[in-house]
Amino acid sequence: PWRMFHTLRENDPVHWQPEPEPNSGFWALTRHADIVAVDRDPETFTSARFTNLEELDDDQIAIRRSMLETDGMRHVALRRLLQKQFTPRAIAEYGTFLRGLTAKTLDAALPKGTFDFVREISADFPINVLARMLDVPDSDTEKLIDWGNRIIGNTDPDYADVLLHSAESEQYRDLPFRSPASLEVFAYGRELAERRRGGAGTDLVSRLVNQTPADGVALTQADFDNYFLLLVVAGNETTRHAISHTMLALMQHPEQMARLRDDLSIMPDAVEEFLRWASPVYHFRRTATRDAELGGKRIREGDKVVLWFASGNRDEAVFEDPYRFDVTRKNVDHVTFGKGGPHFCLGNALARLEMRIMFEELLPRIADIRLAGDVSRVRSNFVNGIKELPVTVTLA
Ligand code: HEM
């Protein structure tokens, strides 16, 4: 997509993309500045009409809405329920656990010599962290990974999942428009909630079910289901792909890998370049609540406006030589987690720490790592994902 994004940024940065079906066209924003401006203005560009390209009717939205698709006071109230658990300070407390988990993952995978980096290292790692935050047994992580794949990667035939309608679903007649994987996640979350209600647990589920949101309006079953689902999927594939893309970029730039290994203290800045480079989430969508102007174009109330974060991360106006991967780049002003808006990624500190620890632990363990076959990609216009990354490792 990079060439197409470049062409759009140069020639038509606020581009109307008509679609074959009625009401499915959208504005494609490809410049960093426009993406940030819209992300910061939820009153004009709401998330409440949903944040992917799909057009949903009011009934579907009511059933599927999570905090990501909620604006205003209710959004703040929902976000606050778990905000303290995701601050950099709270996340830093997981440092020792993360380092132990990383060491365990690497020490099991690296001696294999030749293996799929995604399967052995990046896939399991983020979900194991989440499993810990949810306080569920390690034996459940396979299930969580599979659900994440089927829900987020659902345009890839390998992960194909079909939308079910209520008539076909015995157990969840009240939940039309959800995929089988989502229904499985709901059943799992509801069981956890049941066991933890009224308890003194400090895990994410206990905190969700034992607090009243700040606006005084209790969580409905749908609120809980969608919150839980968001937690399961939001940090899973995204962080996985960020780690895989970084590994690929480092293999393609061995001199930069050596530079990092020689001075691990530059890792925190390097992680920002990893995130810019990887751009695991291609886009989110907003909907105009009123007529507006963007880049000289007239946006009408009801129009879909798509923020192409991945394109913003290659914008020549912000990044010098944006197609150069450079682990020494400073002040990397990426939009990988959104920027400046109320929906700015809740898990950003966690994702950053996971990536940092992963590469701080990985690099000193290896003398060499190189590609050992074809890289296969997730077919999706939503996640920029790597499905398989065959590598050959020589231990240090
Ligand atoms: C929101 C990306 C990791 C939880 C978002 C948004 C993006 C994003 C682009 C929307 C931002 C906006 O619209 O302004 C990513 C990427 C990740 C990552 C690229 C990994 C590299 C995580 C992790 C978690 C998480 C580890 C938690 C376990 C969330 C939640 C939201 C969110 C709950 C919704 C926040 C809201 O609506 O207020 N993420 N994310 N993310 N992310 Fe992440």
Side-chain angles (χ1 to χ4, degrees):
W2 305 112
R3 191 173 294 276
M4 180 188 68
F5 286 144
H6 178 84
T7 308
L8 285 172
R9 280 195 309 272
E10 292 273 295
N11 301 308
D12 195 14
V14 180
H15 169 73
W16 177 252
Q17 176 67 40
E19 283 288 306
E21 291 162 34
N23 299 328
S24 61
F26 60 87
W27 293 100
L29 304 195
T30 45
R31 281 194 184 160
H32 189 282
D34 293 329
I35 293 167
V36 174
V38 167
D39 204 13
R40 285 201 170 134
D41 184 3
E43 285 183 9
T44 314
F45 301 102
T46 182
S47 295
R49 298 299 308 166
F50 241 64
T51 53
N52 45 26
L53 283 169
E54 201 182 344
E55 178 74 12
L56 301 184
D57 65 30
D58 290 346
D59 289 348
Q60 289 170 308
I61 291 173
I63 290 168
R64 293 179 59 171
R65 188 192 297 283
S66 74
M67 80 164 116
L68 189 63
E69 299 91 9
T70 305
D71 279 336
M73 297 298 290
R74 184 64 177 166
H75 169 254
V76 173
L78 291 173
R79 191 167 163 121
R80 277 214 189 126
L81 287 175
L82 295 184
Q83 198 147 15
K84 284 210 187 98
Q85 278 59 54
F86 285 95
T87 60
R89 185 193 293 232
I91 291 303
E93 308 230 322
Y94 288 94
T96 311
F97 163 74
L98 278 172
R99 233 170 251 288
L101 175 64
T102 312
K104 201 172 115 202
T105 307
L106 293 173
D107 292 339
L110 298 178
K112 293 185 181 176
T114 298
F115 57 89
D116 174 14
F117 188 88
V118 175
R119 192 188 164 83
E120 302 293 334
I121 296 179
S122 31
D124 292 18
F125 178 67
I127 204 72
N128 275 305
V129 179
L130 188 77
R132 161 89 178 215
M133 296 180 89
L134 294 171
D135 194 18
V136 300
D138 291 349
S139 52
D140 285 359
T141 53
E142 278 295 324
K143 276 193 289 197
L144 291 166
I145 291 171
D146 181 51
W147 288 328
N149 286 341
R150 283 160 58 201
I151 293 166
I152 297 283
N154 64 5
T155 50
D156 188 301
D158 277 3
Y159 300 139
D161 208 345
V162 287
L163 282 177
L164 261 197
H165 290 275
S166 53
E168 297 162 55
S169 168
E170 280 301 311
Q171 201 184 355
Y172 292 98
R173 280 192 180 283
D174 56 330
L175 287 174
F177 326 116
R178 302 310 313 232
S179 67
S182 308
L183 298 181
E184 288 166 38
V185 174
F186 292 167
Y188 182 81
R190 287 178 184 193
E191 204 188 305
L192 288 181
E194 212 46 56
R195 274 190 269 136
R196 296 185 185 173
R197 206 178 298 279
T202 54
D203 61 277
L204 300 181
V205 173
S206 297
R207 289 188 189 273
L208 274 184
V209 295
N210 295 321
Q211 277 183 86
T212 307
D215 63 357
V217 182
L219 285 189
T220 62
Q221 185 64 57
D223 286 337
F224 174 80
D225 289 344
N226 290 319
Y227 213 130
F228 185 76
L229 184 79
L230 179 66
L231 290 173
V232 169
V233 299
N236 176 14
E237 270 213 79
T238 45
T239 315
R240 172 199 315 174
H241 298 317
I243 292 171
S244 303
H245 275 294
T246 302
M247 191 67 259
L248 177 59
L250 290 172
M251 288 190 291
Q252 289 165 336
H253 301 84
E255 75 296 346
Q256 304 219 28
M257 184 148 49
R259 171 88 179 72
L260 264 175
R261 195 185 351 225
D262 288 349
D263 182 7
L264 289 177
S265 76
I266 66 171
M267 195 62 83
D269 278 342
V271 164
E272 301 307 310
E273 174 71 347
F274 298 167
L275 286 162
R276 180 188 78 89
W277 192 254
S279 296
V281 177
Y282 276 127
H283 70 270
F284 271 126
R285 187 254 285 193
R286 304 289 189 261
T287 306
T289 57
R290 51 192 175 215
D291 291 356
E293 207 195 284
L294 273 178
K297 300 281 177 77
R298 181 139 184 251
I299 315 289
R300 285 169 202 279
E301 180 182 345
D303 284 354
K304 293 181 194 173
V305 178
V306 176
L307 317 182
W308 290 98
F309 300 122
S311 174
N313 280 340
R314 297 289 185 279
D315 190 337
E316 298 73 5
V318 177
F319 305 103
E320 199 188 317
D321 205 354
Y323 299 95
R324 196 184 73 229
F325 175 70
D326 178 0
V327 299
T328 62
R329 209 184 270 277
K330 292 280 177 298
N331 306 318
V332 185
D333 189 19
H334 62 73
V335 288
T336 302
F337 297 124
K339 189 164 175 67
H343 295 280
F344 183 72
C345 177
L346 182 68
N348 75 86
L350 175 58
R352 286 174 153 132
L353 189 64
E354 286 179 5
M355 295 190 64
R356 174 175 165 186
I357 290 181
M358 171 55 74
F359 289 96
E360 280 175 359
E361 292 295 318
L362 174 69
L363 296 182
R365 281 177 166 77
I366 55 178
D368 187 47
I369 179 165
R370 53 187 69 194
L371 261 184
D374 293 337
V375 180
S376 90
R377 315 280 308 241
V378 177
R379 188 176 123 187
S380 168
N381 67 13
F382 177 55
V383 286
N384 176 17
I386 295 184
K387 232 178 345 184
E388 269 174 277
L389 185 64
V391 297
T392 296
V393 166
T394 312
L395 292 174

